[in-house]
């Protein structure tokens, strides 16, 4: 019997890419490929790239070069680029990076097995010429659902699944294969974005906004619960727009309680919310529904009105602070995070001071700060009033220091609070770590649990915050606070 072909998936970038990688894994496993964790043990290394900002693109190139080096030392015979960078640059990336044996776009995902087999056999699959994916769907959101069936939408998955994609999961099995055993997993809520922020190129290569049907989201969540997942995080480019192309802009408000009732799921988290699209009803559901985390990943980007208008965004410091006051009036312990761009073209000293005013008053749990850089194909790249790079760097360093101080202060405000922690790692030497409801995976810090003997990964425990370590918390489990046990399933 011939040896099975082996493939390793290396994922960079955001949680949306992680979902896409698990879709590719499901397709490949269903077609007979053996998935391995170590790229050095794989016939083909597939690198799911990020194409958002320069730093992420550099990391993607580095990962491709590192995988290429394995061809001289390990089993690896081919290295293939997929993901946003591959979709965004196509032939240009293939020509600039001959070390990649293939550059595959989103349209290749449905035939990923054939594409890899061709490349592994020494054949060539020509890289695509990039196109503006916003033009693939109708302008009117109401007309997109039917048209969307003919457009590649990574992470959405078809209804006619290949046999064996998700063993023992019944008819609700998604086109997906988990690549780790973590108790948290992301679920695609939608793809694409209709906003036209002047600094962002994502809509051009991810396309216009299109929602997944609620039944698909629910079925995938049920399947993940069967795989042992305790927390699902809903991801897309803009979750607040969910349902607008299905005829119900408030669809998220009705979907969240249904997701929270899925057997085995202990926490539902929503990521990436647009401040300008926040609705009172959505705030109510996020702050009052059992098992739905009162967590707000709000894309503020700045708070000075002039900068926001140049970004093609809305709001200002006072409106944003009012929004946060509304949230905390309903859920005082709610978690809030955001990202900000400093050094945007035309940003004045007064604008920077306005941003400082907002950050100081916002009491955010996590803050990401980025220095502006041109992204080709964006409106902002054509602006003339660019700041010198040394000014951008200075402002980035200044706001980053302020952000670090502020999130540490916010963590200290939580001293004495009771937090519901999902245990994610248990190590005899390093200790027990997890996340509270106000902390998303990877980005928002963690909780170190003391006196936590006997805890297992996947357990939910209530604990009292007794200390801080920067943005991280230190907490002691409360007596009888184990909300779920891996041994009993309760």
């Amino acid at each position: 019997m011939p040896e099975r072909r082996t493939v390793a998936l290396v994922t960079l970038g955001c949680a949306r890419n992680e979902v896409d990688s698990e879709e590719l894994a499901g397709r490949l496993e269903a077609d007979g490929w053996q998935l391995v964790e170590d790229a050095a043990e794989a016939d083909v290394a597939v690198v799911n790239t990020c194409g958002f900002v320069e730093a992420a693109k550099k990391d993607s190139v580095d990962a491709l070069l590192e995988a290429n080096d394995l061809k001289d030392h390990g089993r690896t015979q081919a290295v293939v680029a997929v993901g946003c960078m591959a979709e965004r640059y196509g032939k240009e990336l293939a020509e600039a990076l001959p070390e990649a044996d293939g550059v595959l776009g989103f349209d290749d995902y449905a035939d990923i097995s054939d594409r890899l087999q061709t490349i592994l056999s020494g054949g060539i699959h020509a890289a695509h010429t990039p196109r503006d994916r916003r033009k693939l769907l109708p302008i009117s959101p109401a007309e997109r659902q039917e048209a969307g069936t003919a457009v590649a939408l990574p992470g959405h998955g078809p209804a006619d699944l290949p046999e064996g994609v998700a063993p023992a999961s019944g008819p609700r099995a998604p086109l997906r294969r988990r690549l780790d055993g973590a108790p948290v997993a992301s679920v695609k809520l939608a793809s694409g974005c209709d906003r036209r922020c002047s600094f962002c190129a994502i809509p051009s290569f991810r396309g216009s906004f299109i929602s997944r049907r609620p039944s698909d989201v629910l079925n995938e969540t049920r399947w993940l619960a069967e795989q042992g997942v305790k927390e699902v995080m809903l991801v897309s480019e803009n979750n607040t727009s969910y349902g607008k192309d299905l005829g119900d802009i408030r669809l998220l408000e009705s979907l969240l309680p249904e997701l929270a009732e899925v057997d085995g799921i202990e926490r539902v988290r929503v990521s990436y919310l647009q401040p300008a699209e926040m609705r009172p009803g959505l705030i109510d559901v996020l702050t009052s529904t059992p098992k739905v985390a009162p967590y707000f990943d709000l894309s503020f980007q700045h708070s000075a009105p002039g900068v926001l208008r140049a970004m093609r965004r809305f709001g200002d410091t006072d409106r944003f602070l009012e929004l946060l006051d509304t949230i905390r009036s309903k859920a005082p312990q709610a978690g809030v995070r955001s990202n900000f761009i400093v050094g945007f073209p035309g940003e004045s000293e007064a604008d920077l001071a306005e941003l400082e005013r907002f950050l100081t008053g916002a009491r955010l749990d996590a803050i990401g700060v980025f220095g502006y850089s041109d992204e080709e194909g964006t409106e902002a790249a054509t602006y003339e009033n660019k700041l010198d790079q040394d000014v951008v760097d200075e402002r980035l360093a200044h706001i980053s220091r302020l952000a670090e101080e502020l999130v540490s202060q916010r963590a200290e405000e939580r001293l004495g609070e009771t937090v519901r922690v999902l245990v994610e790692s248990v190590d005899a030497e390093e200790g027990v770590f997890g996340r509270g409801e106000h902390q998303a995976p990877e980005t928002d810090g963690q909780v170190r649990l003391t006196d936590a003997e006997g805890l297992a990964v996947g357990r939910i425990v209530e604990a009292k915050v007794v200390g801080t370590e920067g943005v991280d918390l230190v907490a002691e489990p409360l007596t009888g606070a184990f909300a779920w046990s891996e041994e009993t399933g309760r």
Side-chain angles (χ1 to χ4, degrees), residues 13-180:
C14 64
R16 300 185 292 275
N17 261 15
E18 294 171 6
V19 176
D20 294 351
S21 284
E22 293 195 350
E23 178 194 310
L24 292 174
R27 290 182 182 277
L28 289 166
E29 188 172 66
D31 202 43
W33 291 77
Q34 179 181 347
L35 300 166
V36 297
E37 292 185 17
D38 187 352
E41 300 300 320
D43 296 318
V44 184
V46 177
V47 180
N48 193 347
T49 60
C50 179
F52 181 37
V53 294
E54 285 303 319
K57 287 182 276 190
K58 181 181 183 303
D59 288 344
S60 296
V61 170
D62 289 345
L64 287 164
L65 293 175
E66 183 177 340
N68 182 69
D69 289 342
L70 297 174
K71 289 191 285 189
D72 296 328
H73 308 291
R75 173 173 175 161
T76 309
Q77 301 173 51
V79 175
V80 175
V82 299
C84 291
M85 190 176 181
E87 174 64 38
R88 184 177 181 184
Y89 295 104
K91 291 174 62 176
E92 181 182 345
L93 177 62
E95 293 168 0
L97 197 70
E99 291 85 353
D101 299 286
V103 175
L104 306 181
F106 297 150
D107 293 334
D108 292 307
Y109 282 22
D111 301 308
I112 186 67
S113 179
D114 290 343
R115 299 287 187 265
L116 296 191
Q117 186 58 58
T118 295
I119 294 168
L120 189 60
S121 301
I124 296 175
H125 178 73
H128 68 287
T129 299
R131 53 182 172 168
D132 189 336
R133 295 189 72 85
R134 289 172 293 191
K135 298 179 180 178
L136 302 182
L137 291 169
I139 293 176
S140 169
E143 299 174 357
R144 288 180 189 162
Q145 285 292 322
E146 185 174 349
T149 60
V151 176
L153 298 170
H156 282 227
D160 52 338
L161 303 178
E163 183 178 355
V165 168
S169 293
R172 62 171 165 264
L175 185 59
R176 180 170 182 172
R177 198 272 201 187
R178 294 216 68 203
L179 293 175
D180 62 41

Side-chain angles (χ1 to χ4, degrees), residues 432-488:
V432 178
F433 292 88
R435 290 178 297 102
E437 291 182 316
H438 69 287
Q439 297 167 315
E442 307 293 337
T443 60
D444 298 348
Q446 59 187 353
V447 179
R448 177 168 63 85
L449 293 167
T450 64
D451 301 323
E453 185 176 352
L455 287 179
V457 170
R459 207 176 243 188
I460 295 281
V461 57
E462 290 192 346
K464 180 179 180 180
V465 179
V466 296
T468 64
E469 297 171 344
V471 70
D472 299 327
L473 304 180
V474 181
E476 294 178 350
L478 300 176
T479 303
F482 298 166
W484 182 83
S485 166
E486 200 169 34
E487 290 79 15
T488 65

Side-chain angles (χ1 to χ4, degrees), residues 300-316:
F300 289 121
Q301 302 297 348
H302 212 283
S303 72
V307 175
L308 286 169
R309 301 307 174 268
M311 290 179 169
R312 303 299 182 203
R313 297 177 66 83
F314 306 92
D316 56 46

Side-chain angles (χ1 to χ4, degrees), residues 279-415:
R279 305 175 291 276
L282 180 55
I283 295 174
D284 287 342
V285 170
L286 288 170
T287 55
S288 65
T289 307
K291 295 188 178 181
V292 173
Y295 175 80
F296 294 80
D297 176 14
L298 293 163
S299 175
F300 289 121
Q301 302 297 348
H302 212 283
S303 72
V307 175
L308 286 169
R309 301 307 174 268
M311 290 179 169
R312 303 299 182 203
R313 297 177 66 83
F314 306 92
D316 56 46
T317 295
D318 293 332
R319 292 186 198 179
F320 291 164
L321 291 177
E322 287 174 7
L323 173 60
L324 296 179
D325 285 344
T326 298
I327 291 169
R328 289 178 175 132
S329 70
K330 299 175 181 294
Q333 291 183 313
V336 186
R337 82 164 325 273
S338 193
N339 293 326
F340 299 88
I341 298 173
V342 296
F344 194 80
E347 181 190 63
S348 66
E349 291 285 354
D351 293 330
L352 193 69
E354 186 69 359
L355 176 58
E356 289 186 49
R357 182 169 80 89
F358 172 69
L359 291 173
T360 302
R363 297 169 54 230
L364 302 178
D365 292 279
I367 300 171
V369 187
F370 302 88
Y372 173 82
S373 62
D374 284 339
E375 280 293 315
E376 57 265 45
T378 63
E379 180 184 355
T382 68
Y383 290 175
E384 295 181 355
N385 50 348
K386 305 270 175 56
L387 303 184
D388 291 340
Q389 188 60 49
D390 59 344
V391 174
V392 176
D393 293 342
E394 180 182 342
R395 293 183 180 183
L396 174 61
H398 172 65
I399 296 298
S400 296
R401 287 192 298 269
L402 175 63
E404 184 176 357
E405 178 183 343
L406 291 172
V407 296
S408 296
Q409 291 176 5
R410 176 62 182 137
E412 291 172 359
E413 291 180 19
R414 294 191 179 274
L415 287 169

